[in-house]
Amino acid sequence: MTYSDRKYRRSPKTTPLLPQKDSNFGHFEAGFDGASFSGAVFNLSTTIVGAGIMALPATLKQLGAIPGLIVIILAAMLTEKSTEMLLRFTRASKSASSYSGLAGDAFGGFGRTLLQACIVINNLGLLVVYMIIIGDVLSGTSSDGVHYSGVMEEWFGQHWWTVRSNILLLTTLLVFVPLVSFKRVDSLRYTSAMSVALAVVFVVITAGIVIVKFINGSIAMPRLLPKLVDQASFWKLFTTVPVLVTAYICHHNLHPIENELRDGSQMKSIVRTSIVLCTTVYVATSFFGFLLFGDHTLDDVLANFDGELGIPYSSLLNDVVRVSYVIHLMLVFPIVFFSLRLNMDGLFFPYAIPIAYDNRRFFSVTAALICFIFLGANCVPSIWDAFQFTGATATVSVGFIFPAAIVLRDTHGIATKRDRLVSWVMILLAVSSSTVAICSDIYSIFNIGVEA
């Protein structure tokens, strides 16, 4: 270990969260010589494609097909640029091997802690929502005194193991606990590949239904442009921005994936491949979902798959879509959890050795987070309003504000004029979208209160 490495380990603002392949602590497992290109692509793609994919068809409903697809592609390009800048500034910094370390290098201990807090808030909110969705789909949910049956109830009837809390407990013990116990993100490459495949399955099924309905003449022409009837409908267009801004968030897992690579120089190609793959899935999901349901597309298009689709075997296809999506979320869970655990550990144990080398701390932090997420999903059955607030603040900070701020800070003097211009655009987009989203949420809450 070099002098700079030893100094880096002692620094409170850049304490390494991630063990390196050349670390004097040794390897995670005997025989591990680094992650592969394909494994890294699948892990990064799974980080990107989470629950947000189901909200994208609704963005086309608001914006129209042409503007909606254009902004999805533009968001992908902006994300690719922000991740490229993060990786470039990380290499320029000799003391940063993690996102929080890079923030600490630019802004000191406060910047590092603030970024870690944003990642923790974002990931905790995501994982609680994932578990709530899993419970809703498998066990059902109740709203206004009406119970909507889940897949397990429809198939097997009401039993002790189809009760929501018991299904979530079984899912936690049998699926989540084994998957989050891995100390290397590369260990999740196969489950990540399956997760991406299930997202493709959703696209294929939706496209197949559209083609069948197109052949029998029951598909209407999609609305190509936004429908503007008054001032309220104009401002409603901006509520889609947070969905698009957060659709590609993967920045918190860049460094864990890069640090395990067999060849770190491949990371730029890995990011580009993942974003192209995810953009293809996003465009196809948005287009076919909007084409299938039109102006009846719900905010969560999964909710549209609970009735007659107008083709044979509608009930079977509805179940396949819902179950495959639930399994997809189960496999996304450990990838998001990985960076959550790293940053939670960094907040509470900033001077300690990497968590992967301390078994007691690793399993204690893991158990505490799993319990918190499980209790949150059971005690707070509907947190969409709160989740929108965290998404409009913590999420855009992780994905756009911090990368842009690091570039503008430019402690190593490597930022170009183009970097600075893109950074100001990212900050403007993030701040404006967050402001509109928060104001819209506050207005909705007070409006509901007045109507009540």
Side-chain angles (χ1 to χ4, degrees), residues 357-377:
Y357 298 117
D358 188 334
N359 287 334
R360 179 179 298 178
R361 201 168 90 244
F362 180 89
F363 290 110
S364 297
V365 173
T366 299
L369 289 173
I370 283 287
C371 290
F372 181 88
I373 294 167
F374 176 77
L375 292 174

Side-chain angles (χ1 to χ4, degrees), residues 4-189:
S4 61
D5 291 329
R6 292 194 298 270
K7 181 179 179 182
Y8 169 62
R9 284 198 178 280
R10 293 195 301 266
S11 174
K13 68 178 181 179
T14 55
T15 301
L17 301 175
L18 308 167
Q20 305 295 300
K21 285 182 287 189
D22 59 351
S23 168
N24 67 341
F25 287 97
H27 294 289
F28 289 119
E29 300 172 8
F32 176 65
D33 61 348
S36 64
F37 183 94
S38 60
V41 167
F42 286 129
N43 282 329
L44 191 61
S45 299
T46 301
T47 304
I48 296 173
V49 182
I53 186 175
M54 294 299 170
L56 290 176
T59 65
L60 266 65
K61 174 186 173 182
Q62 295 294 336
L63 299 175
I66 294 176
L69 295 176
I70 289 174
V71 294
I72 288 174
I73 295 172
L74 289 177
M77 295 171 62
L78 202 58
T79 300
E80 195 275 333
K81 180 61 178 177
S82 68
T83 54
E84 184 273 330
M85 292 189 299
L86 276 182
L87 294 173
R88 181 153 45 90
F89 275 74
T90 299
R91 294 188 180 96
S93 172
K94 303 301 182 182
S95 61
S97 64
S98 65
Y99 191 1
S100 61
L102 186 60
D105 184 60
F107 301 105
F110 176 77
R112 174 183 180 273
T113 301
L114 183 60
L115 174 61
Q116 288 175 331
C118 287
I119 294 175
V120 168
I121 293 170
N122 174 68
N123 290 20
L124 269 178
L126 276 176
L127 295 180
V128 171
V129 168
Y130 287 180
M131 195 174 285
I132 288 174
I133 295 173
I134 291 169
D136 288 347
V137 173
L138 293 182
S139 181
T141 184
S142 297
S143 178
D144 298 326
V146 179
H147 180 71
Y148 299 92
S149 297
V151 173
M152 301 299 286
E153 285 185 353
E154 292 175 359
W155 289 355
F156 305 105
Q158 293 187 348
H159 300 280
W160 68 268
W161 46 271
T162 62
V163 176
R164 180 191 182 87
S165 58
N166 291 338
I167 278 187
L168 291 181
L169 179 60
L170 291 173
T171 302
T172 299
L173 295 177
L174 299 179
V175 180
F176 294 152
V177 169
L179 290 179
V180 301
S181 297
F182 290 113
K183 295 184 177 180
R184 288 191 288 108
V185 69
D186 184 61
S187 300
L188 300 169
R189 62 190 181 278

Side-chain angles (χ1 to χ4, degrees), residues 123-437:
N123 290 20
L124 269 178
L126 276 176
L127 295 180
V128 171
V129 168
Y130 287 180
M131 195 174 285
I132 288 174
I133 295 173
I134 291 169
D136 288 347
V137 173
L138 293 182
S139 181
T141 184
S142 297
S143 178
D144 298 326
V146 179
H147 180 71
Y148 299 92
S149 297
V151 173
M152 301 299 286
E153 285 185 353
E154 292 175 359
W155 289 355
F156 305 105
Q158 293 187 348
H159 300 280
W160 68 268
W161 46 271
T162 62
V163 176
R164 180 191 182 87
S165 58
N166 291 338
I167 278 187
L168 291 181
L169 179 60
L170 291 173
T171 302
T172 299
L173 295 177
L174 299 179
V175 180
F176 294 152
V177 169
L179 290 179
V180 301
S181 297
F182 290 113
K183 295 184 177 180
R184 288 191 288 108
V185 69
D186 184 61
S187 300
L188 300 169
R189 62 190 181 278
Y190 296 119
T191 58
S192 294
M194 187 182 300
S195 174
V196 174
L198 288 171
V200 174
V201 166
F202 174 80
V203 173
V204 170
I205 291 176
T206 307
I209 296 172
V210 168
I211 292 172
V212 171
K213 297 191 72 171
F214 179 79
I215 292 174
N216 62 32
S218 57
I219 283 285
M221 182 68 180
R223 183 161 40 81
L224 301 180
L225 298 173
K227 185 178 181 181
L228 300 176
V229 295
D230 52 23
Q231 188 176 12
S233 63
F234 172 77
W235 287 108
K236 196 172 182 180
L237 297 178
F238 292 91
T239 61
T240 64
V241 176
V243 176
L244 296 165
V245 168
T246 59
Y248 292 92
I249 294 296
C250 61
H251 305 66
H252 49 82
N253 262 347
L254 282 177
H255 295 85
I257 292 172
E258 182 188 28
N259 289 339
E260 292 182 9
L261 278 176
R262 191 176 300 129
D263 180 6
S265 63
Q266 294 180 322
M267 193 61 194
K268 185 175 180 180
S269 298
I270 288 169
V271 171
R272 188 163 296 169
T273 303
S274 296
I275 290 179
V276 169
L277 173 61
C278 294
T279 302
T280 303
V281 172
Y282 280 176
V283 167
T285 300
S286 304
F287 178 73
F288 288 116
F290 180 52
L291 194 61
L292 179 58
F293 300 111
D295 286 335
H296 298 290
T297 303
L298 300 176
D299 291 341
D300 180 358
V301 75
L302 188 68
N304 286 107
F305 288 91
D306 65 349
E308 179 60 41
L309 298 175
I311 63 171
Y313 307 108
S314 288
S315 178
L316 175 61
L317 291 173
N318 283 334
D319 287 347
V320 170
V321 166
R322 290 189 290 172
V323 172
S324 63
Y325 180 60
V326 163
I327 298 174
H328 165 75
L329 287 185
M330 290 179 182
L331 300 180
V332 173
F333 190 99
I335 286 288
V336 178
F337 189 92
F338 192 90
S339 58
L340 168 63
R341 177 172 51 208
L342 284 176
N343 286 277
M344 179 66 80
D345 179 73
L347 281 175
F348 287 95
F349 306 100
Y351 295 94
I353 63 173
I355 188 173
Y357 298 117
D358 188 334
N359 287 334
R360 179 179 298 178
R361 201 168 90 244
F362 180 89
F363 290 110
S364 297
V365 173
T366 299
L369 289 173
I370 283 287
C371 290
F372 181 88
I373 294 167
F374 176 77
L375 292 174
N378 281 279
C379 298
V380 189
S382 179
I383 62 164
W384 288 108
D385 289 335
F387 180 59
Q388 288 170 358
F389 280 109
T390 60
T393 53
T395 307
V396 295
S397 296
V398 172
F400 290 95
I401 293 178
F402 267 101
I406 289 170
V407 170
L408 294 175
R409 180 75 168 175
D410 194 19
T411 54
H412 302 284
I414 63 171
T416 64
K417 289 183 179 180
R418 184 180 179 184
D419 291 336
R420 294 181 181 278
L421 176 61
V422 172
S423 297
W424 280 116
V425 170
M426 286 195 296
I427 289 178
L428 178 63
L429 178 62
V431 172
S432 60
S433 65
S434 297
T435 303
V436 170

